[in-house]
Amino acid sequence: MTEPNASTRYPIAAVRERVRRHAGPVLDFAVGPHREQPPAALKQLLNTDPETALRRACSEDELTAFAEAAAAMLRRVYRVEVSPAAIMPVPGGRTAMSFLASSVIRPGDGVAIVEPAYPAFNRVAQQIHADVTSVPLDPSRCFSPAVEGIAGDKADAISFVALNFPNNPTGAVLDRDVLSAFLNMFRPGTVVFNDATYGPLVFDRPPWSLLAEADGSADRLKLVELHSLAKLFSLGPVPVSFLVGDEALMADLREFAEFAWSDQSSLEMNVALACLRDGNRLDEVRAVFADRLERLRSVLSDLGFEPFPAASGMYIVCRTPSAIGGRPVADAGEAAEALLANHSVAVVPWEVHPTSYLRFSSQYAEDDLKALAVLGADGPLAS
């Protein structure tokens, strides 16, 4: 069993703290200050008596409208047909993951989690004292799950699988045959959760959802997926998220939710509705980030980094180089520290044995990208 480590920090929080301690300005490629402007209709909604709507709990009619709009969005974007009864709004993605884990997982349960991935679910599962098995994503096979460590009896002992596709940070998207072979390893009734925050933000193929790609497994496994639109609509901390999946499981979650959080506000629900009904926004955002990623990739390659292809998302990951600025580094943590201390560049280190990565965000300021390119004037920054 993997024991919780109280010293383990949320990676972005740890990077932000190091940046605050850094003397002088920083080129921020860890989170990045860039944010697209929300659509005009959302701005108008947020400026229309927001105080009253924020203080008023959402109504049953608004909840029904939300579920119907979310089902319509899934149909429009992913070609997935679900009943509105299979949909539940949640106050943010991390809240949803904590809620799902505490609802379904018990101490000692076998849980398989792909890595690298958004780290929230792993940390929560460890806190519950689940028996967590890491399933590394193999960079030599387009970040497909390396299943050697969970074959046979190990897979039979797993009752919960946590996926994150399209993947954060790698941008990887699983082919249907790879996904099918992976899911067939687990016994009937296993809960399979997918964080699909970047599902609409896929560049070289249609948007990706577990519910669409694993449709043949829906009768054998309990599928549940998280969808979140807050980043795509530049809403910051305003939650526009929902869980969708196996109807019996969703009914249990809906009952437990009465104990987990207070009612969401009418304002939050109406913002969510506006996002779900905006049929053009996702195409616009997809084009913006495809361009920003490509320009970042070009600069990183010129600096000597080796970016992995990013089929989706907002990030580029590079295998950790052996040296930064000519100084040897042993792992991603040392490389990130050298970039910040010696070159004032902030990135996110990501360790997944046996590979370590550096994650660069495409939400950079344009001046920061120009300044990053200049760092290679005297030779490669990474080697």
Side-chain angles (χ1 to χ4, degrees):
M1 180 184 296
T2 304
E3 293 295 334
N5 181 353
S7 66
T8 299
R9 296 286 307 282
Y10 179 62
I12 304 303
V15 170
R16 282 174 171 157
E17 183 174 310
R18 288 197 294 274
V19 168
R20 284 194 298 269
R21 295 199 305 262
H22 182 74
V26 169
L27 307 183
D28 184 2
F29 291 88
V31 180
H34 172 81
R35 299 294 182 271
E36 290 295 299
Q37 288 295 309
L42 273 182
K43 284 187 174 182
Q44 181 178 357
L45 176 61
L46 291 168
N47 287 329
T48 305
D49 194 18
E51 183 179 350
T52 300
L54 185 61
R55 288 189 284 110
R56 184 175 65 242
C58 65
S59 67
E60 286 297 322
D61 287 345
E62 287 170 329
L63 287 172
T64 298
F66 176 93
E68 291 173 350
M73 187 277 285
L74 291 170
R75 185 183 312 114
R76 182 178 70 247
V77 175
Y78 300 103
R79 305 295 188 265
V80 169
E81 293 287 345
V82 299
S83 164
I87 292 169
M88 183 176 68
V90 291
R94 269 181 275 175
T95 299
M97 293 182 204
S98 299
F99 163 72
L100 179 63
S102 62
S103 303
V104 177
I105 300 171
R106 298 292 175 264
D109 282 357
V111 175
I113 299 178
V114 298
E115 292 189 292
Y118 188 71
F121 197 92
N122 193 343
R123 184 67 177 86
V124 173
Q126 290 182 32
Q127 192 70 34
I128 296 172
H129 299 278
D131 185 3
V132 177
T133 297
S134 174
V135 182
L137 300 180
D138 185 349
S140 69
R141 293 185 292 174
C142 301
F143 292 102
S144 297
V147 299
E148 294 78 11
I150 57 169
D153 292 342
K154 186 73 172 178
D156 289 339
I158 289 169
S159 60
F160 194 107
V161 179
L163 306 178
N164 176 204
F165 293 100
N167 183 253
N168 173 9
T170 69
V173 179
L174 287 187
D175 289 336
R176 181 169 290 195
D177 57 343
V178 173
L179 175 66
S180 178
F182 179 65
L183 295 181
N184 283 337
M185 299 180 64
F186 303 104
R187 57 185 169 81
T190 300
V191 177
V192 180
F193 164 68
N194 184 49
D195 173 5
T197 293
Y198 294 106
L201 207 58
V202 179
F203 307 123
D204 63 349
R205 65 180 78 187
W208 199 97
S209 165
L210 174 71
L211 301 181
E213 299 298 319
D215 182 58
S217 299
D219 292 336
R220 195 176 66 84
L221 304 170
K222 296 180 179 180
L223 306 180
V224 60
E225 192 161 60
L226 170 66
H227 288 265
S228 177
L229 301 177
K231 287 186 178 180
L232 301 180
F233 284 82
S234 302
L235 295 175
V238 179
V240 184
S241 305
F242 62 92
L243 290 170
V244 54
D246 179 87
E247 287 197 36
L249 176 59
M250 296 304 297
D252 291 341
L253 294 177
R254 193 173 288 106
E255 181 177 310
F256 185 59
E258 295 175 351
F259 299 91
W261 57 71
S262 301
D263 292 336
Q264 292 172 265
S265 70
S266 180
L267 176 65
E268 291 169 325
M269 199 57 55
N270 280 286
V271 168
L273 279 168
C275 293
L276 291 168
R277 291 168 174 166
D278 190 331
N280 299 319
R281 174 69 175 183
L282 301 185
D283 288 338
E284 295 169 358
V285 174
R286 194 179 297 118
V288 167
F289 281 100
D291 173 70
R292 295 181 69 84
L293 284 169
E294 187 54 39
R295 289 189 288 125
L296 175 59
R297 177 185 304 282
S298 177
V299 169
L300 292 175
S301 298
D302 289 345
L303 290 171
F305 291 98
E306 297 181 9
F308 286 99
S312 70
M314 298 179 176
Y315 308 104
I316 285 180
V317 294
C318 303
R319 195 187 301 270
T320 301
S322 58
I324 296 290
R327 299 182 181 185
V329 292
D331 54 30
E334 283 191 16
E337 194 60 39
L339 282 168
L340 183 59
N342 302 326
H343 306 281
S344 297
V345 177
V347 300
V348 177
W350 220 296
E351 301 284 352
V352 183
H353 182 77
T355 310
S356 70
Y357 308 91
L358 297 176
R359 192 197 81 173
F360 292 78
S361 172
S362 67
Q363 293 185 301
Y364 50 79
E366 292 295 340
D367 285 347
D368 283 359
L369 185 65
K370 294 175 184 176
L372 182 66
V374 171
L375 292 179
D378 295 327
L381 181 60
S383 58

